[in-house]
Amino acid sequence: MRAAAGFLAGLVFGLGLLLSGMANPAKVLNFLDVAGAWDPSLAFVMGGATVTAFLGYRLAWRRARPILMPSFDLPTRRDIDRPLLAGAALFGIGWGIGGFCPGPAWTALPMAAPGTLVFVPAMLTGIWLGRRAKAAPLMQGA
C-alpha cells in the first residue's frame, strides 16, 4: 500500500511539473533573466506550492501519526553548517545553469531532450561524489 501511495504521489507531482511547464528548463532560465525575457510564472508555481505545503502540513499535524507509517519521520538537526550552505549553493548554481532541479529533470527525461540527457547523468555523478566526500575523513569534523 505504501509503494502504491508513493507511486501515486510521484505521478501527481510529475504531472504537476509537466502542466506548470517546470519540466522545461527555459521556464526556469527565463525566470532568472530579469533583464531580458523575464517570465514570472515560476513565482506563481512556487507560491502555489508554498500554500499547498502550508495547508497540507497543518492537516498532517492534526493526526497522531501518518496513515501509512508508525510515526512521523522528522529531522532532528536545526543548525546551519558549512556543508548545508555549500550544498544549497551548488544546488542553486546547478539550477541556474541547467534550468533543472532533480524532480523536473526526472520528469523531462522520457522526452529525451539533449539538456536532460546531460543534466541527469551529471546530477547522479554529483550525488555520488557528494556521498563519497561526505564519507571522507576530512568531512567528518565539519
Side-chain angles (χ1 to χ4, degrees):
M1 181 66 176
R2 212 171 114 211
F7 176 80
L8 183 62
L11 182 64
V12 169
F13 180 67
L15 288 173
L17 290 172
L18 287 172
L19 290 173
S20 66
M22 293 300 112
N24 178 3
K27 185 74 101 169
V28 173
L29 297 174
N30 286 341
F31 175 75
L32 298 173
D33 187 9
V34 293
W38 187 62
D39 179 359
S41 60
L42 178 58
F44 293 109
V45 171
M46 288 182 183
T50 301
V51 170
T52 302
F54 178 82
L55 295 174
Y57 273 106
R58 294 304 162 279
L59 291 172
W61 294 141
R62 290 182 179 182
R63 302 186 59 81
R65 66 177 197 82
I67 295 172
L68 299 175
M69 295 289 290
S71 65
F72 287 105
D73 186 14
L74 302 172
T76 55
R77 290 184 57 179
R78 295 188 178 264
D79 57 320
I80 298 174
D81 59 2
R82 196 174 353 159
L84 175 66
L85 293 174
L90 285 171
F91 179 89
I93 291 167
W95 194 21
I97 291 171
F100 283 117
C101 65
W106 283 110
T107 302
L109 191 61
M111 293 183 272
T116 312
L117 297 176
V118 172
F119 182 87
V120 171
M123 175 184 70
L124 294 173
T125 301
I127 291 169
W128 180 77
L129 289 171
R131 286 187 177 165
R132 287 189 56 118
K134 193 172 182 179
L138 180 63
M139 291 295 292
Q140 297 296 325

